[in-house]
Amino acid sequence: MSKLIKKYAILLIIGLLISRILSAIILLAVPTLLTAELPEGGTSTLSGSYLSSGLEYLVNIGFIFLLSKDMRNEEVKSNLILVMTFFSSMIGVVLFLLSVAQKKSNLTKIELNE
């Protein structure tokens, strides 16, 4: 269990850093990416957080693949965890770790009763 916690803690931090750093690099390379010209002659600029959020969703898709692999290994079956991971990798990982902990505690209780 502690191996999974360490693995996903490191991956969550790396995923967050990758999305933020990559969005900063993209905006430095193409500063006008989030800028559009209006018909009246003005300009409209979106915040850099739109790009960062979009990249976070791509990182979350990577987490879905990692979690589905570990869910097969731990024999945890829940599509809800994978759906929640798409919207927030932190929530998906926490739900996965809680279900693994619950499964292991149920197995321990069964062994103690025998």
Side-chain angles (χ1 to χ4, degrees):
M1 181 71 182
S2 64
K3 185 177 179 181
L4 285 173
I5 293 172
K6 288 178 188 176
K7 173 184 174 180
Y8 283 106
I10 291 170
L11 286 174
L12 284 170
I13 292 170
I14 289 172
L16 182 66
L17 289 175
I18 285 175
S19 67
R20 300 292 165 103
I21 290 172
L22 194 58
S23 67
I25 290 171
I26 290 171
L27 287 176
L28 284 174
V30 187
T32 60
L33 180 68
L34 300 176
T35 304
E37 290 187 28
L38 298 174
E40 298 89 30
T43 59
S44 174
T45 304
L46 297 175
S47 170
S49 63
Y50 285 103
L51 182 61
S52 180
S53 295
L55 291 173
E56 280 184 37
Y57 282 117
L58 292 176
V59 169
N60 291 350
I61 292 171
F63 272 104
I64 289 172
F65 289 116
L66 290 172
L67 280 175
S68 65
K69 179 183 153 204
D70 282 338
M71 286 172 76
R72 272 186 256 127
N73 291 341
E74 296 292 331
E75 297 176 359
V76 174
K77 297 175 183 164
S78 174
N79 290 332
L80 177 64
I81 292 173
L82 298 177
V83 170
M84 293 303 294
T85 303
F86 177 74
F87 295 107
S88 172
S89 57
M90 175 72 81
I91 291 174
V93 168
V94 168
L95 288 175
F96 168 68
L97 292 174
L98 287 173
S99 42
V100 169
Q102 179 189 16
K103 184 174 180 184
K104 291 191 184 231
S105 70
N106 285 343
L107 289 176
T108 307
K109 288 178 186 177
I110 292 171
E111 290 173 0
L112 291 175
N113 289 337
E114 291 177 356

